[in-house]
Amino acid sequence: MGERPHGSRERTHVAGSEPSRVDELDERILWELIRDGRTTMTALADLLGISPSTASARVSSLKQAGALKSVHAEVDYQRVGLPVQAMVFVRLRAQARPHVHEYARLMAKLPSVLNLFFIGGNEDFLIHLVCTSTDQLRDIVSTQVSMHPVVASTRTHIVFEHALGSDHMHHLSGFDEVRRPIDQSVNSPGMFDG
């Protein structure tokens, strides 16, 4: 499938185990696409020191394997008439457990839903919504999100600002830094230390 970087970590899939992880070059491609999804294959190839055909083949392979699900545009929703964003925490009734996936599918289909997370803790779902106004938000939560018979309660939080993590990744070199264990020693500089 093209050139392999020196020391690449090819990982294989064993039947019945978790999906195989990508190799080092694939990780580098994914990292660069997270940082800038608009990167051309030629620019990506130059950045990684590979041929454009290898970059293109690798990206296609990552898509087919499901490792690269999509590349998204970050939209300023206010400019398209949707200035209100909110996070809605949803707790389902205890008897509703058999209907968790059904409820998730229904919520994911709502036009205002940007993201839906099935979470652990006191609540079952976190739903990220975008709306025209707080009135529309109230109506969506009260009639579409919370009125379903499986819902026990909801909590709604307005989003004042949203910082996209990938906009602040320029100081990181890749996924190895994300996977690195956190140094909790007393002498270790903290995140807020100079």
Side-chain angles (χ1 to χ4, degrees):
M1 182 183 316
E3 301 140 30
R4 294 260 181 229
H6 179 69
S8 71
R9 303 183 310 269
E10 185 85 32
R11 296 172 183 107
T12 57
H13 176 66
V14 177
S17 68
E18 67 180 48
S20 62
R21 289 181 50 188
V22 298
D23 69 18
E24 186 176 333
L25 178 56
D26 288 339
E27 275 195 7
R28 291 172 60 207
I29 289 169
L30 291 170
W31 187 261
E32 293 306 326
L33 291 175
I34 288 171
R35 288 173 40 154
D36 185 359
R38 297 169 297 180
T39 301
T40 65
M41 288 303 120
T42 302
L44 184 62
D46 288 345
L47 192 62
L48 299 175
I50 59 176
S51 71
S53 62
T54 296
S56 181
R58 287 292 188 115
V59 168
S60 293
S61 179
L62 288 166
K63 286 178 183 175
Q64 289 175 349
L68 178 59
K69 294 178 182 246
S70 65
V71 179
H72 298 281
E74 183 65 18
V75 174
D76 181 343
Y77 289 103
Q78 187 158 351
R79 291 181 184 247
V80 294
L82 297 165
V84 177
Q85 290 188 52
M87 300 299 224
V88 181
F89 292 86
V90 179
R91 186 169 58 84
L92 302 184
R93 299 180 189 284
Q95 303 83 358
R97 297 299 171 225
H99 305 285
V100 167
H101 296 294
E102 172 193 340
Y103 180 76
R105 279 192 299 276
L106 288 172
M107 293 302 103
K109 289 180 181 178
L110 294 177
S112 294
V113 172
L114 295 178
N115 296 289
L116 182 134
F117 304 94
F118 184 22
I119 59 176
N122 292 330
E123 281 100 1
D124 298 291
F125 289 100
L126 173 59
I127 303 173
H128 182 191
L129 298 170
V130 64
C131 304
T132 59
S133 64
T134 53
D135 288 342
Q136 186 189 39
L137 172 63
R138 178 201 59 222
D139 293 344
I140 291 168
V141 172
S142 65
T143 64
Q144 296 178 320
V145 175
S146 66
M147 287 302 290
H148 194 284
V150 300
V151 175
S153 65
T154 62
R155 285 187 306 123
T156 302
H157 297 267
I158 301 287
V159 174
F160 293 127
E161 240 178 274
H162 174 217
L164 188 63
S166 59
D167 287 344
H168 307 280
M169 291 172 38
H170 56 275
H171 66 287
L172 300 175
S173 62
F175 290 108
D176 285 340
E177 290 187 62
V178 179
R179 288 189 291 259
R180 184 180 309 146
I182 304 301
D183 185 356
Q184 297 180 0
S185 68
V186 177
N187 297 327
S188 170
M191 184 171 140
F192 302 108
D193 296 339

